[in-house]
Amino acid sequence: MSVSDTEKDEIEKSSAPLMEHLIELRRRLIWSIGGFFIAFLVCFFFAKRLFNLLVVPFKWATQWAGLDPHKVELIYTAPQEFFFTQVKLAMFGGMVIAFPLIATQIYKFIAPGLYKNERNAFLPFLIASPILFLMGASLVYFFFTPMVMWFFLAMQQAGTNDQVQISLLPKVSEYLSLIMTLIFSFGLVFQLPVVTSLMTRVGMLSSKALVEKRRWAIVIAFVVAAVLTPPDPMSQIGLAIPTILLYEVAIWSARLIERSKERDRLAREKQDAAAEAAEKAADASSTQAPS
């Protein structure tokens, strides 16, 4: 099987000594760690404001429950708890902010080893991944967190002669862990179309296989939702349903990719046939020419 001159040039450009790869890897790691550290410091400086921003869905839930949102109260029971909560929040926020930079550095490190068509195919997924993550995080912030907190607030009990008063006073660390778990879970699930599209493009997966495994995918969606979300049915169903919908989107995306690959294959075959016909015509004209 012959290799074109363009492919030979790309292979030569992609090959580099081990030391150059290590130097390049160190450079990309420095950029990634530096970007994360700067984002961490910025988030830690605004940690209290960020935490108050994350409490807004809790206030919405109190309104849904018919309570006064101005009386929302969170507590911490250890002297260092709120400090470490701010550190944890800053690390989470720093990773979210620095993710585009980190993903770009990963892409720049592996891009020299890819063909041009592979680089062009990989770049849209690099852009789509953070967008889908933000879509999942927005869904958590504006809908599912208020819904989950409303479910927990509904369990409160007013004090009467026959029953004691039971009020929800969440700890700052536990509330942050709850909302971070939901954001991470939904952000991870929203990467499903990206992962399946990449696997379809490289030939590891097909739309037919996705359709055949649809029943298993529905079962796995509910199992994963039960593992990743808090133990309440509303958040579990709330994660499972978008997962199933995203699975359908993944099937549709896989079909589009397969059609695109088929069109490219037919175009290449047509081009090769035209080139072969031109070559035969040139050979025929050369043999018919007078000596």
Side-chain angles (χ1 to χ4, degrees):
M1 179 176 170
S2 60
V3 180
S4 64
D5 295 336
T6 304
E7 292 177 342
K8 288 181 180 179
D9 293 337
E10 291 187 5
I11 292 173
E12 291 177 358
K13 291 179 181 179
S14 64
S15 60
L18 177 61
M19 187 57 64
E20 292 184 12
H21 283 300
L22 293 177
I23 293 173
E24 181 70 13
L25 177 61
R26 184 186 63 178
R27 184 185 301 115
R28 301 306 173 191
L29 285 174
I30 290 174
W31 275 101
S32 300
I33 296 174
F36 168 74
F37 185 69
I38 293 173
F40 168 79
L41 292 178
V42 172
C43 290
F44 185 76
F45 182 78
F46 295 102
K48 289 186 178 179
R49 295 183 182 180
L50 291 174
F51 191 85
N52 289 326
L53 186 64
L54 293 178
V55 175
V56 172
F58 189 13
K59 294 182 178 180
W60 294 339
T62 59
Q63 290 180 326
W64 294 0
L67 304 174
D68 186 2
H70 299 289
K71 294 184 179 180
V72 171
E73 182 180 359
L74 286 84
I75 63 172
Y76 61 96
T77 57
Q80 74 280 6
E81 181 179 346
F82 190 45
F83 171 77
F84 285 113
T85 299
Q86 294 180 70
V87 173
K88 188 177 180 179
L89 176 59
M91 292 180 65
F92 182 76
M95 182 59 66
V96 172
I97 294 174
F99 177 78
L101 174 64
I102 296 173
T104 302
Q105 297 304 313
I106 294 174
Y107 172 75
K108 288 183 177 180
F109 178 71
I110 65 175
L114 301 175
Y115 290 118
K116 184 178 180 180
N117 60 337
E118 293 174 338
R119 292 194 294 268
N120 294 335
F122 187 78
L123 191 58
F125 299 107
L126 187 65
I127 298 173
S129 183
I131 293 176
L132 289 172
F133 184 88
L134 290 177
M135 289 175 60
S138 299
L139 189 63
V140 169
Y141 185 85
F142 290 105
F143 182 70
F144 282 103
T145 299
M147 184 180 65
V148 170
M149 295 309 299
W150 171 79
F151 176 81
F152 291 145
L153 284 169
M155 296 181 178
Q156 293 186 124
Q157 179 175 284
T160 61
N161 294 330
D162 299 329
Q163 58 187 17
V164 297
Q165 180 174 347
I166 301 176
S167 302
L168 175 63
L169 290 175
K171 296 171 62 177
V172 291
S173 59
E174 293 175 349
Y175 179 79
L176 180 63
S177 297
L178 171 65
I179 195 167
M180 283 175 54
T181 300
L182 289 173
I183 290 176
F184 176 78
S185 301
F186 278 78
L188 187 65
V189 166
F190 268 65
Q191 303 304 311
L192 182 62
V194 175
V195 175
T196 54
S197 298
L198 281 173
M199 295 177 68
T200 303
R201 186 170 289 276
V202 299
M204 297 176 60
L205 199 61
S206 65
S207 60
K208 182 180 179 181
L210 291 173
V211 172
E212 292 175 351
K213 303 298 182 183
R214 181 186 276 123
R215 294 181 180 178
W216 286 101
I218 294 174
V219 175
I220 293 173
F222 280 95
V223 173
V224 172
V227 173
L228 294 179
T229 59
D232 66 280
M234 299 186 69
S235 59
Q236 293 173 5
I237 296 174
L239 180 58
I241 292 177
T243 304
I244 296 170
L245 294 177
L246 287 169
Y247 189 84
E248 297 298 325
V249 173
I251 294 175
W252 174 76
S253 177
R255 286 172 176 167
L256 289 180
I257 292 173
E258 289 172 348
R259 291 172 186 171
S260 177
K261 291 173 66 176
E262 183 65 18
R263 286 195 299 267
D264 293 341
R265 185 185 66 82
L266 293 175
R268 285 195 303 268
E269 290 180 355
K270 185 177 180 181
Q271 186 178 2
D272 293 341
E276 185 178 355
E279 184 178 354
K280 290 181 178 179
D283 294 339
S285 61
S286 62
T287 54
Q288 294 175 0
S291 55

